[in-house]
């Protein structure tokens, strides 16, 4: 709000809310069993309607994952196009278009969610993942840094490059001992900031403020 067209205007931000009774933590082992993920290795999740669409950053993710060989990994994806990887170390499972139930189970199956969009505002997938207690890796663009908070709800990639993304994924994989703490913090922040009830209250207060000042 301090730069550009809006610099001389008051800017109010009201985050989207979620039905937190639906988007909530589920036992990871049970979630994986229900969607057919039979692995004790790290499970990552990425989602996009089309990973080939430039703004979704699928090229960064593919390049980053092709450079990771330390441990076997399972990658879950949503979207109409199946991602192609040249890394036999990564088992790829594309669900295509999914029901809400499957999406929630996938968030809960993953050790973390990778949001690779290079242009975005306040992506619902990031909120949904956090509400399910799953930390997020994302580029520091748009509203993502408001939600992805280092050492609390995830990891921010320092620049728009596959090298930095790969480094951040490696960091997240190597810090598995922190995941339980981050999982609890994700849910705590979702409950405190991203419920649909709070979203409604914020709108009511905003319109009351406008009405009273007119």
């Amino acid at each position: 709000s301090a730069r550009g067209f809006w610099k001389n205007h008051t800017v109010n931000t009201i985050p989207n809310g979620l039905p937190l009774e639906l988007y909530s933590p589920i036992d990871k082992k049970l979630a994986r069993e229900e969607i057919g993920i039979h692995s004790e290795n790290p499970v990552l999740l990425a989602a996009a309607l089309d990973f080939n669409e430039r703004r979704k950053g699928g090229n960064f993710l593919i390049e980053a994952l092709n450079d990771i060989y330390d441990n076997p990994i399972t990658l879950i994806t949503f979207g109409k196009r199946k991602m192609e990887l040249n890394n036999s170390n990564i088992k790829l499972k594309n669900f295509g278009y999914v029901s809400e139930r499957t999406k929630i189970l996938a968030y809960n199956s993953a050790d973390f969610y990778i949001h690779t969009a290079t242009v975005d505002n306040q992506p619902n997938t990031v909120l949904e993942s956090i509400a399910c207690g799953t930390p997020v890796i994302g580029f520091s663009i748009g509203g993502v840094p408001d939600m992805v908070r280092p050492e609390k709800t995830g990891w921010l990639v320092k620049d728009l490059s596959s090298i930095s993304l790969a480094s951040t994924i490696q960091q997240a994989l190597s810090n598995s001992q922190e995941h339980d703490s981050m999982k609890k913090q994700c849910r705590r922040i979702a409950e405190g900031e991203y419920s649909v009830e709070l979203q409604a209250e914020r709108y009511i207060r905003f319109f009351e403020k406008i009405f009273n000042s007119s």
Side-chain angles (χ1 to χ4, degrees), residues 149-191:
R149 304 169 192 178
E151 301 180 6
K152 292 183 179 179
T153 61
W155 304 264
L156 287 172
V157 184
K158 66 179 182 179
D159 57 62
L160 293 177
S161 72
S162 59
I163 293 174
S164 290
L165 179 58
S167 175
T168 307
I169 292 172
Q170 293 278 31
Q171 178 188 355
L173 288 169
S174 65
N175 291 342
S176 59
Q177 68 275 10
E178 298 178 5
H179 288 188
D180 285 344
S181 173
M182 294 180 76
K183 184 179 182 71
K184 293 175 183 176
Q185 291 207 67
C186 282
R187 182 61 186 183
R188 190 179 304 120
I189 287 172
E191 290 176 346

Side-chain angles (χ1 to χ4, degrees), residues 100-117:
E100 189 166 51
R101 174 63 179 174
T102 300
K103 182 167 60 168
I104 292 167
L105 289 169
Y107 285 128
N108 278 281
S109 296
D111 292 291
F112 49 86
Y113 168 64
I114 307 172
H115 186 75
T116 57

Side-chain angles (χ1 to χ4, degrees), residues 14-27:
I14 299 178
N16 290 329
L18 290 174
L20 296 179
E21 71 280 3
L22 288 177
Y23 290 91
S24 61
I26 300 170
D27 179 80

